[in-house]
């Protein structure tokens, strides 16, 4: 069916990996499986307005302003995969995107923005084909091609991306939901994101993945990650917080250790990252509260804890950790529901 003018709107959240995807091969395929929490408050909201046109074209605005860097990223992705969106050949798109989290917060926004965009585009395809639903496997697979870890953002609670015999149906092509696999304690887990620096990433994730190709520890890393996936899945099913904490923190440290021993080498933590980690460990030892941390490829610290301990942990963050945050900034977030139509 030929489409007239219209607008579709989707939101998609950011996600934070527990077992990290770091190193890729082929067409944006992971060297090892990864698992993440889907977040709730850190989201991208995207509206795509389409109108009939002789040829495909697009304009992109972020927060109402032109954003050429992002526009060309989208253009490249669509040019490479236009066969997946045949109806776009006869449409001009105006894409408007907005993040619910501060722009320069050091939080990766490509996972949320690319998955929100893919949902909008597949929604347009769905209407053109007069279909009822969007195929979530295809949505995740296209999100992966747009920006690796974006494939995990679509699903509620937790997602796994990458083939492992510990989970039936898992594949390198797209992520799958872990919602039915996990103990209730993880379904409303908290993530407070402590902003140590709001500077742009020192290394883009594209460059970071590429550094793994010559990292002398790469093969060991992929082996350890595969084992961690299995152990983490068991811990997630059982609600084993002790094991969860041990694997999650070890994964964060490994990601940073890999960067430190890459060629060239990068130190992505800041002195305040270490102060936060040390304080958090002391707090955990003193109180026995099962709080832990993870890190992205940057200095900011994700503090993870069960919902029932929110009050104590958040008071501790205010009293002890906020002083190490840039401008005292931290973002309260928690496990959420994945992508949805607005
Ligand atoms: O999806 P990318 O290419 O931005 O890579 C993500 C890498 C990490 O965030 C460090 C780990 C992960 O699994 O999300």
């Amino acid at each position: 069916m030929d489409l007239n003018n219209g607008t579709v709107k989707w939101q998609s959240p950011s996600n934070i990996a527990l077992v990290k995807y770091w190193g890729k091969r082929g067409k944006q395929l992971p060297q090892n499986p990864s698992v993440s929490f889907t977040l709730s408050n850190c989201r991208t909201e995207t509206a795509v307005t389409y109108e009939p046109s002789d040829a495909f074209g697009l304009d992109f605005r972020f927060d109402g302003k032109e954003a050429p860097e992002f526009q060309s990223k989208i253009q490249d992705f669509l040019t490479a995969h236009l066969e997946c969106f045949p109806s776009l050949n006869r449409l001009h798109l105006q894409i408007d995107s907005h993040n619910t989290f501060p722009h320069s917060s050091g939080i990766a926004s490509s996972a949320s923005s690319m998955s929100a965009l893919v949902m909008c585009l597949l929604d347009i395809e769905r209407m053109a084909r007069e279909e009822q639903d969007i195929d979530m496997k295809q949505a995740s697979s296209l999100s992966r091609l747009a920006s690796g870890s974006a494939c995990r953002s679509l699903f509620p609670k937790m997602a796994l991306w990458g083939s492992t015999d510990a989970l039936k149906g898992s594949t390198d092509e797209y992520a799958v939901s872990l919602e039915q696999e996990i103990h209730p304690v993880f379904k409303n887990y908290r993530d407070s994101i402590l902003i140590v620096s709001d500077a742009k990433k020192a290394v883009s994730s594209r460059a970071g993945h590429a550094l793994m190709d010559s990292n002398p520890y790469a093969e060991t890393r992929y082996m350890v990650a595969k084992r961690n996936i299995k152990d983490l899945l068991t811990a997630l099913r059982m609600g084993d917080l002790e094991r969860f904490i041990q694997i999650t923190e070890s994964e964060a440290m490994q990601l940073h250790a890999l960067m430190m021993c890459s060629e060239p080498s990068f130190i992505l933590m800041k002195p305040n990252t270490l102060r936060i980690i040390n304080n958090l460990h002391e707090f955990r030892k003193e109180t026995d509260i099962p709080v832990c941390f993870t890190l992205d490829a940057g200095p900011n610290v994700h503090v993870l804890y069960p919902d029932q301990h929110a009050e104590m942990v958040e008071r501790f963050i205010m009293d002890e950790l906020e002083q190490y945050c840039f401008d005292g900034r931290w973002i309260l977030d928690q496990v959420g529901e994945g992508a949805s139509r607005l």
Side-chain angles (χ1 to χ4, degrees):
M1 176 175 100
D2 276 345
L3 294 171
N4 292 321
N5 299 22
T7 301
V8 289
K9 286 187 191 165
W10 278 81
Q11 69 80 30
S12 188
S14 187
N15 69 78
I16 179 69
L18 304 169
V19 172
K20 309 290 183 181
Y21 150 59
W22 201 239
K24 58 177 155 183
R25 60 187 174 82
K27 256 188 134 191
Q28 197 102 295
L29 297 168
Q31 289 282 12
N32 62 264
S34 55
V35 160
S36 57
F37 276 136
T38 301
L39 297 182
S40 165
N41 297 333
C42 293
R43 297 188 317 269
T44 299
E45 295 171 349
T46 297
V48 177
T49 301
Y50 51 90
E51 56 179 29
S53 161
D54 293 338
F56 170 62
L58 71 88
D59 290 306
F60 176 79
R61 284 190 302 235
F62 184 78
D63 279 342
K65 292 192 209 88
E66 285 176 11
E69 203 184 311
F70 214 76
Q71 164 142 354
S72 64
K73 202 176 161 186
I74 296 171
Q75 194 93 48
D76 290 350
F77 165 66
L78 284 176
T79 309
H81 303 289
L82 208 55
E83 79 279 3
C84 302
F85 307 100
S87 63
L88 296 191
N89 280 311
R90 294 179 306 281
L91 293 176
H92 185 275
L93 309 179
Q94 170 63 53
I95 306 172
D96 278 287
S97 205
H98 161 77
N99 286 346
T100 60
F101 49 100
H103 182 46
S104 50
S105 57
I107 299 174
S109 62
S110 60
S112 54
S113 57
M114 285 312 208
S115 52
L117 175 67
V118 165
M119 290 311 285
C120 287
L121 300 178
L122 286 179
D123 213 4
I124 295 173
E125 277 311 314
R126 179 194 63 77
M127 286 186 285
R129 289 185 207 161
E130 298 179 69
E131 284 171 3
Q132 200 68 22
D133 299 312
I134 294 174
D135 174 358
M136 291 307 284
K137 289 178 180 170
Q138 189 194 17
S140 177
S141 176
L142 285 166
S143 300
R144 177 199 108 228
L145 290 165
S147 177
S149 60
C151 70
R152 297 187 309 239
S153 274
L154 302 172
F155 302 100
K157 314 295 182 191
M158 295 191 81
L160 178 144
W161 167 35
S163 165
T164 168
D165 20 308
L167 187 73
K168 235 177 120 208
S170 62
T171 161
D172 287 347
E173 298 288 327
Y174 48 81
V176 293
S177 171
L178 285 181
E179 190 179 16
Q180 304 304 323
E181 297 284 326
I182 60 175
H183 187 276
V185 70
F186 296 112
K187 293 193 177 176
N188 52 2
Y189 229 68
R190 300 277 182 150
D191 177 7
S192 284
I193 309 165
L194 277 48
I195 310 298
V196 170
S197 164
D198 71 345
K200 210 175 161 219
K201 280 187 184 178
V203 207
S204 70
S205 56
R206 180 198 289 250
H209 289 291
L211 285 172
M212 284 303 283
D213 294 342
S214 57
N215 190 302
Y217 303 102
E219 288 312 316
T220 311
R221 159 62 194 160
Y222 303 143
M223 198 182 71
V224 173
K226 286 172 191 167
R227 196 179 63 213
N228 279 345
I229 280 284
K230 289 188 180 163
D231 291 351
L232 183 66
L233 275 174
T234 308
L236 292 173
R237 287 173 175 133
M238 311 281 288
D240 182 346
L241 291 180
E242 207 175 310
R243 194 83 183 100
F244 169 85
I245 289 172
Q246 194 261 320
I247 297 168
T248 298
E249 293 195 347
S250 163
E251 278 285 323
M253 291 305 206
Q254 279 182 49
L255 172 67
H256 283 252
L258 288 164
M259 288 307 283
M260 282 186 226
C261 58
S262 291
E263 192 70 67
S265 144
F266 292 94
I267 302 176
L268 301 179
M269 295 189 202
K270 298 278 182 215
N272 280 351
T273 310
L274 295 175
R275 291 188 182 102
I276 289 170
I277 292 172
N278 288 335
N279 265 263
L280 187 110
H281 282 167
E282 270 172 43
F283 175 76
R284 186 165 77 214
K285 212 162 137 196
E286 278 164 18
T287 61
D288 254 344
I289 291 176
V291 55
C292 70
F293 74 89
T294 188
L295 305 165
D296 235 326
N300 301 331
V301 184
H302 289 247
V303 178
L304 305 174
Y305 45 98
D307 180 63
Q308 70 173 115
H309 298 292
E311 205 184 317
M312 288 280 281
V313 175
E314 284 154 23
R315 188 170 313 138
F316 160 67
I317 293 174
M318 271 187 282
D319 293 348
E320 303 289 334
L321 304 184
E322 201 177 87
Q323 59 179 314
Y324 303 121
C325 298
F326 175 77
D327 265 354
R329 272 162 53 187
W330 54 290
I331 299 170
L332 273 168
D333 212 336
Q334 65 195 84
V335 165
E337 297 304 320
S340 60
R341 206 177 260 114
L342 287 171

